[in-house]
Amino acid sequence: MAEKRQNPIIIRKTFNIGAADAESDTQYLKECFIDTGVLETLMELHDPRSIVVGRTGAGKTALLQELKERAENCIELAPETLSLGYISNSNVINFFEGAGVQLDLFYKLLWQHIFTVELLKKKYGIANEQKQFNFLQIVQTLFSNNKNKSRAISYLQEWGRKFWEETQYRTKEFATKLETDLKASASVSSDILSLGAAGARRLSEEERTEVVERGTRVVNSVQIHELHEVMEILANDIFNDPQQRYYVIIDRLDEAWVDEALKYKLVKALIESIKSFRKVANVKIIICLRTDLLARVLRTTQSPGFQEEKYKSLYLNLSWNRDQIARVLDQRVSSLFKRKYTGAQVSTQDVLPKNQIEQRSSLDYLLDRTFFRPREAIMFFNTCLELADGTSRISREVIKKAEVSYSRERIEALQDEWGYDYPLLTDYLKILHHRPAQFCPSDVTDEDIDNFACSFLEAHQKSNDPVFKLCEGYLDDRVEPAVLFMNLAKILYQVGVLGVKPAPHLGRQWSHLDQATLSEGELTPTTTLAVHKAFWAALGVHTKRYRDTDVS
């Protein structure tokens, strides 16, 4: 242990155990990756789970980085390099979609086209015109006498002339083909087409019906049969060696790679394409989705007869428990001090205070203030290291001081994570300022609600934020004070600020550990609510009567 060393460790403010994002955390990821079983599941081709779902900071990108290291044949596609913005900027496509033409099938076929080309490029090393010519010769030799595969051969010959080009070129090429066919089918002037969705709004009902009929006919004829037969060739004739496993991975889908409205349609089509590619047994398409993005995609793209259950077999939910996060910290602390002290074995127990903090071990105290995600624990520990500069052990006072800035950072991170759904989320937390760590909805008085609603509306003149609208309804006597708070509490539960103890004999539940949302009726005036410890310091929460019997 540290006390037995002739040269005790000295902490410097420059020390850290990793970066907040996986892209900047390459050294620790390589040395300290911890597999909780999800990597093996993800790499298993016969396991359908290929959509990694988790909240921000749960390690989705780190998981894909490790897969890239281990997989022999791995193709990484960055959404921002696919030129999918070309679709959102196309006046012709926007016109037909604005008129009511459903382009879901086209978006799905676009993804299948992208995957097909990328896989063939990887398989045959198509990096220039000569190798592309050699590939087409192979295809013709293999299938020239097979009439059942003639359409697939024609498809590959048509689109294979530029396989060696960048992915963005082929995306534009495929979209341009649809654009040209739609334009040719249009029964309106080019001036109206050039206006995009605004042009569609000028159509009469009769004109709109004709546009939808013609446009739908075009969309439904976009190489459906040809692509289906190409998929059969991929499955039965090209990627048919179980010893050669191929992975296509896509990350960062939550970033701004395309217009938001189009993003949801494209992600939905991407999920559908993953299902279709399951028939190619030795290929696996893997994507990462943040929990909130997946929820928005499913909510905004629902169609009649929609069933979310058919997608759930594809989900791989990424979550951690207390012991696993403790291992993450321990391994990274060990790696840090090995590098700084030529191989010395140092654990978190050697660096953290020996004595308890508020009747919890110092490690548990730190972990209690996370959602059990690696990023949060790493960031909290890094702040402690920075403040412990020049000492050989992090003190209780340092942890308490670090907690203040860490707690504020957690609020900022919540806003970043949930800001699309709840633009004014940070202001919601004012209802919890200086409140007890544990309370019931009935403890929140009508005066509390009135003060909250008035100050909320004074701070913001106009907003689509759901709580802003509730506050407007309250001041107009359309929303009761209790209703406003119950809706606010459900949101705060969803984002992780509040935990709920539905009844005295039941344990406390949190959205990051239990069910993600609360349904109507699950909150009553006597339900016990608890503020998550990550936010105590920033919110000035009173903790004297807090019962710590439901810590996970």
Side-chain angles (χ1 to χ4, degrees):
M1 303 295 285
E3 291 74 18
K4 295 181 181 180
R5 293 192 188 91
Q6 291 181 349
N7 299 308
I9 61 174
I10 300 296
I11 298 169
R12 298 302 180 194
K13 64 181 178 181
T14 55
F15 286 7
N16 68 73
I17 57 169
D21 60 299
E23 290 88 349
S24 306
D25 198 31
T26 51
Q27 183 170 0
Y28 279 102
L29 276 182
K30 192 169 288 188
E31 294 178 10
C32 306
F33 180 79
I34 290 178
D35 184 15
T36 60
V38 291
L39 181 60
E40 182 181 352
T41 299
L42 204 57
M43 295 189 73
E44 174 54 59
L45 294 178
H46 299 296
D47 194 306
R49 287 172 287 182
S50 50
I51 301 174
V52 182
V53 181
R55 290 180 64 167
T56 182
K60 299 182 295 298
T61 297
L63 183 62
L64 290 197
Q65 297 277 27
E66 187 66 18
L67 188 150
K68 281 168 55 183
E69 289 288 324
R70 300 193 189 188
E72 186 175 345
N73 298 304
C74 188
I75 302 162
E76 183 177 18
L77 296 178
E80 66 274 14
T81 66
L82 298 180
S83 287
L84 292 165
Y86 178 84
I87 298 171
S88 60
N89 294 327
S90 167
N91 287 330
V92 174
I93 292 176
N94 286 332
F95 170 82
F96 279 89
E97 190 155 34
V101 176
Q102 294 297 316
L103 296 178
D104 297 359
L105 178 60
F106 167 72
Y107 297 142
K108 178 181 174 182
L109 292 175
L110 175 60
W111 283 116
Q112 289 185 14
H113 178 72
I114 291 171
F115 296 148
T116 296
V117 174
E118 291 298 325
L119 285 163
L120 290 173
K121 273 185 68 178
K122 181 74 172 179
K123 172 81 173 180
Y124 294 100
I126 306 172
N128 53 50
E129 287 187 81
Q130 182 58 50
K131 291 192 174 183
Q132 160 249 314
F133 175 80
N134 294 342
F135 161 70
L136 291 176
Q137 290 293 104
I138 291 170
V139 169
Q140 287 177 325
T141 302
L142 284 175
F143 308 119
S144 59
N145 296 323
N146 192 325
K147 292 182 179 179
N148 293 329
K149 295 177 179 177
S150 60
R151 282 190 295 198
I153 297 169
S154 297
Y155 182 92
L156 292 173
Q157 287 175 331
E158 178 185 356
W159 297 103
R161 291 173 308 214
K162 297 289 186 179
F163 270 15
W164 53 276
E165 293 275 10
E166 293 295 326
T167 310
Q168 59 186 7
Y169 172 87
R170 291 188 302 279
T171 302
K172 288 182 180 178
E173 186 183 33
F174 199 78
T176 300
K177 176 68 164 61
L178 173 71
E179 196 176 40
T180 301
D181 292 347
L182 285 173
K183 195 171 183 178
S185 77
S187 54
V188 298
S189 70
S190 57
D191 290 340
I192 294 292
L193 275 175
S194 67
L195 295 174
R201 289 193 289 271
R202 294 189 179 187
L203 298 175
S204 67
E205 198 61 40
E206 184 179 350
E207 289 174 325
R208 184 185 301 274
T209 300
E210 185 177 359
V211 165
V212 170
E213 286 178 356
R214 292 189 179 197
T216 301
R217 201 176 308 129
V218 169
V219 172
N220 289 343
S221 65
V222 181
Q223 279 99 14
I224 297 174
H225 299 295
E226 290 89 339
L227 252 180
H228 175 76
E229 288 172 4
V230 169
M231 294 282 287
E232 293 293 325
I233 287 179
L234 295 182
N236 301 324
D237 303 292
I238 296 179
F239 296 97
N240 55 352
D241 184 354
Q243 300 303 313
Q244 293 187 342
R245 303 185 298 173
Y246 287 79
Y247 301 90
V248 181
I249 61 175
I250 305 179
D251 193 11
R252 304 198 303 276
L253 289 164
D254 56 304
E255 296 181 4
W257 50 279
V258 76
D259 173 76
E260 283 292 322
L262 178 59
K263 178 196 291 188
Y264 303 141
K265 296 172 185 176
L266 287 171
V267 172
K268 175 72 172 297
L270 175 56
I271 294 171
E272 293 283 359
S273 298
I274 289 173
K275 284 188 67 182
S276 298
F277 252 89
R278 291 295 305 151
K279 67 177 67 174
V280 187
N282 298 310
V283 169
K284 195 168 190 179
I285 315 293
I286 297 170
I287 67 173
C288 285
L289 288 178
R290 233 167 56 181
T291 307
D292 56 306
L293 174 59
L294 176 60
R296 283 199 299 276
V297 167
L298 297 180
R299 185 174 68 245
T300 59
T301 61
Q302 283 191 21
S303 54
F306 171 80
Q307 293 178 315
E308 186 184 353
E309 289 75 16
K310 69 179 184 178
Y311 298 119
K312 287 188 174 179
S313 64
L314 301 175
Y315 300 163
L316 179 61
N317 292 300
L318 192 56
S319 61
W320 301 74
N321 60 35
R322 181 181 295 271
D323 291 340
Q324 290 165 345
I325 297 298
R327 282 177 57 206
V328 169
L329 291 180
D330 213 39
Q331 199 154 324
R332 285 170 176 256
V333 167
S334 176
S335 178
L336 167 67
F337 286 98
K338 274 182 185 177
R339 286 186 283 108
K340 300 295 183 182
Y341 290 92
T342 62
Q345 291 289 337
V346 180
S347 70
T348 51
Q349 297 301 322
D350 296 320
V351 180
L352 290 172
K354 292 181 180 180
N355 298 329
Q356 291 189 332
I357 307 176
E358 297 178 4
Q359 300 181 326
R360 303 286 288 166
S361 73
S362 54
L363 179 58
D364 279 331
Y365 182 92
L366 188 152
L367 295 180
D368 288 346
R369 283 149 180 80
T370 72
F371 290 168
F372 298 151
R373 303 178 204 164
R375 181 183 298 173
E376 299 156 349
I378 291 168
M379 292 301 94
F380 196 172
F381 205 94
N382 280 346
T383 306
C384 293
L385 288 173
E386 183 180 359
L387 294 177
D389 181 43
T391 67
S392 60
R393 186 184 285 272
I394 296 169
S395 68
R396 289 192 297 176
E397 290 72 26
V398 160
I399 292 177
K400 284 283 194 177
K401 187 176 180 181
E403 183 184 350
V404 176
S405 59
Y406 166 79
S407 185
R408 291 171 182 157
E409 289 169 0
R410 285 302 89 211
I411 290 176
E412 292 173 5
L414 269 191
Q415 184 65 59
D416 291 340
E417 182 178 1
W418 293 97
Y420 187 87
D421 292 312
Y422 308 115
L424 306 178
L425 176 59
T426 303
D427 283 353
Y428 299 2
L429 303 182
K430 291 178 180 177
I431 196 72
L432 301 178
H433 281 182
H434 307 298
R435 196 165 289 281
Q438 189 168 279
F439 64 98
C440 295
S442 57
D443 297 330
V444 182
T445 65
D446 288 357
E447 184 180 0
D448 293 334
I449 298 297
D450 190 74
N451 290 336
F452 170 80
C454 290
S455 63
F456 198 94
L457 293 176
E458 284 176 8
H460 308 284
Q461 297 301 313
K462 188 176 182 181
S463 176
N464 289 324
D465 183 276
V467 172
F468 182 89
K469 292 181 178 180
L470 282 169
C471 290
E472 283 187 318
Y474 166 76
L475 289 187
D476 292 341
D477 293 325
R478 290 181 286 108
V479 175
E480 294 293 323
V483 172
L484 193 161
F485 179 75
M486 290 300 192
N487 279 280
L488 181 58
K490 284 197 292 185
I491 294 172
L492 293 177
Y493 171 85
Q494 180 187 7
V495 302
V497 174
L498 290 181
V500 173
K501 191 176 175 66
H505 65 285
L506 297 175
R508 188 178 296 136
Q509 64 184 49
W510 302 92
S511 62
H512 63 283
L513 298 175
D514 305 291
Q515 63 185 39
T517 58
L518 295 175
S519 59
E520 292 295 331
E522 290 191 85
L523 276 180
T524 69
T526 57
T527 300
T528 302
L529 302 175
V531 182
H532 194 284
K533 292 182 179 182
F535 309 103
W536 281 9
L539 298 178
V541 166
H542 304 308
T543 63
K544 287 185 179 180
R545 296 183 181 179
Y546 187 82
R547 293 183 58 199
D548 213 353
T549 57
D550 297 305
V551 176
S552 302

